[in-house]
Amino acid sequence: MRIAQGLYERGFITYMRTDSTNLSQTALDAARSQARELYGDSYVPAEPRIYARKVKNAQEAHEAIRPAGDRFRTPREVTGELSGQDLALYELIWKRTVASQMADAKGLTVSARIGARTAGTGRDAVFAASGRTITFPGYMRAYVEGSDDPDAALDDRETLLPPLAEGNVLPPPELEAKAHATSPPARYTEASLVKRLEELGIGRPSTYASIMQTIQDRGYVWKKGAALVPTWTAFAVINVLEQHFGDLADYAFTARLEDDLDEIAAGRKEREQWLHDFWFGDDGPGLSQLVASAPEGIDAAAVNTIPVGIDDDGVPVVVKPGKFGPYVKRGDDTASVPDDLPPDEMTIDRALELLAAPSGDRELGTDPETGLTVYAKAGRFGPYVQLGELPEKGTKGAKPKTASLFETMDLDTVTLDDALRLFTLPRVVGVDPADEDATPITAQNGRYGPYLKKGSDSRSLETEEQLFTVTLDEALAIFAQPKRRRGQAQPAAPLRELGDDPASGKPVVVKDGRFGPYVTDGETNASLRKGDRPEEITIERAAELLAIRRETAPRKKGRAKKKAPAKKAAAKKKAPAKKAAAKKKAPAKKARPKSSD
């Protein structure tokens, strides 16, 4: 919202505190004209596209957020004035606005049924495969325009099937049986939670950013990647609200409150009367009575107890938020709950596993280099090893070195040699000979697994054991591969290898992308034009397409470095001198005479 406010103040976008979906006629004409100019007549429908309001109590005093002016400036045209997050947000608004007035995308969906007979049994089996190809990108073209990788520009990549015909006989495949289970509903992200709030009529565009920040600052949720995970504290707070302030903690109340405030703003309700009824009550108790009576009925122990299940002996197992974090409790036995364990993954088996884990420290031996004792411990973030003792409470001292255990290690069986190896991480693998800055490449173990790090760039490793075995050549080969999101599939093999590009000197291949075949040298991608066939294209033609692409490609985004104003820098330097001078000039205080008593 702060970035959008800045774009609005500088005249790049229209007013952004609105959830309206209406565009003015000027904006409609500008979006349709620009789509036609950039992509052609086939990408623009005959009539402007109008979007119905989907948000309850939408604030539509302003039109939808869009680029300012009667002719939109493309992201490339504003690159000289905007950079970093400013440019990224403007580009998002521009793409969204132009795409809203473009034609629908069209695709071809293919479903294949493959009959088979198992050898020796005579039983028939049917295998199914399905896929889709985009035959006309439509509005999607606005989202991939300018992308250096059109094949990965959209996240929902489709499976491509080869040409098939009824009656084809396929070679006997090697079959591998895999289990398939349906996934539970995805966790809320900030975006999906805002969407849900809009559906419930809760909040306004100007408040959504502060809502997301507040629930994180107060410890009600924590982020696991992009997902918002509720905490045990949130469950305890909800217990209090639902048991003693049920009407106020109801979705319908919040939506009604928004309606009432809108009615007051429109002059259809009296503010004083509404506030009187809300505080003192009308048909039921008001907020003042609820707040006064609630503490007497609140059982702190009960609301802070979240049941998990019952063990084999019939003893209840619960989780309670504590001063030093949540913990699981069974009778008098307690154990800390790891901070990264979501509440929905706390099963009775997991709780009993935490309770059964050794709570004391295990001494592994002495480090031959430092002479310090090495311990194996169970912590809030999982098992780890520690070199030396913690400084005594109230004294100053360096914290001992620690290292988390690998997933293949167990707290009960970890050895001194294992611990000493873990203390060597992060390990310096080497330096890229081609790197002028001589930035070292290190192998590290992080929250999301093992990885290589080179400056601000990183690549995931497949196993934790690679942290000790990966060589410099292997690391350079890994960094040479395009960066993929965690869990992303390996890119498809190229259709053809053409040779080295005369300009870049890198090998050029033909690949099959979402919107058709294209050529690439690993850095620049260029779609094949009409008349170019993947099986016939030459290295000369590919080099020509790549050269055209390089000339027309937008400049890379970069965040401008902020320079401290000269005046402020000079003022900071002078400040200490002024203070020192003031101290010298200040007259010494006279000693207070002692009383004769």
Side-chain angles (χ1 to χ4, degrees), residues 155-391:
D155 290 336
D156 55 339
R157 294 180 57 184
E158 301 293 343
T159 302
L160 301 179
L161 296 181
L164 299 173
E166 187 174 352
N168 286 159
V169 178
L170 305 182
E174 294 182 2
L175 300 181
E176 180 183 357
K178 290 185 177 180
H180 173 71
T182 56
S183 301
R187 297 187 190 277
Y188 277 117
T189 62
E190 291 188 359
S192 61
L193 183 55
V194 167
K195 182 179 180 181
R196 182 59 178 152
L197 293 176
E198 288 179 339
E199 293 171 353
L200 295 170
I202 298 174
R204 290 290 183 265
S206 57
T207 63
Y208 289 140
S210 61
I211 290 173
M212 297 302 127
Q213 190 66 42
T214 299
I215 61 177
Q216 294 178 63
D217 291 344
R218 294 186 180 178
Y220 297 148
V221 299
W222 58 278
K223 297 191 81 170
K224 186 177 183 180
L228 298 174
V229 182
T231 63
W232 296 104
T233 301
F235 281 89
V237 171
I238 289 298
N239 281 343
V240 174
L241 294 177
E242 289 184 341
Q243 293 176 21
H244 302 279
F245 303 92
D247 292 339
L248 303 182
D250 182 50
Y251 294 139
F253 163 78
T254 308
R256 286 196 307 270
L257 179 60
E258 299 276 8
D259 292 337
D260 290 341
L261 295 178
D262 288 339
E263 292 288 302
I264 293 171
R268 291 187 289 269
K269 276 192 176 182
E270 292 294 332
R271 178 179 59 182
E272 291 79 5
Q273 184 61 44
W274 185 88
L275 288 172
H276 180 277
D277 295 341
F278 177 74
W279 184 252
F280 295 105
D282 185 10
D283 297 334
L287 181 60
S288 60
Q289 185 177 345
L290 290 173
V291 172
S293 60
E296 301 175 2
I298 293 178
D299 183 349
V303 298
N304 283 288
T305 300
I306 299 98
V308 174
I310 299 176
D311 68 2
D312 295 336
D313 297 328
V315 180
V317 179
V318 299
V319 171
K320 299 172 73 73
K323 182 179 180 180
F324 302 104
Y327 61 94
V328 62
K329 181 174 176 30
R330 178 187 58 182
D332 295 331
D333 297 334
T334 60
S336 296
V337 175
D339 282 359
D340 59 351
L341 179 65
D344 62 334
E345 296 179 13
M346 176 58 82
T347 61
I348 183 65
D349 292 336
R350 185 75 175 95
L352 295 176
E353 180 184 330
L354 292 173
L355 289 167
S359 57
D361 302 344
R362 189 164 71 90
E363 190 174 313
L364 300 181
T366 303
D367 177 21
E369 291 188 7
T370 62
L372 298 174
T373 305
V374 179
Y375 299 95
K377 298 188 175 187
R380 293 174 59 193
F381 300 101
Y384 66 99
V385 289
Q386 177 179 302
L387 180 63
E389 300 279 358
L390 283 169

Side-chain angles (χ1 to χ4, degrees), residues 146-157:
S147 170
D148 285 337
D149 189 358
D151 189 36
L154 297 175
D155 290 336
D156 55 339
R157 294 180 57 184

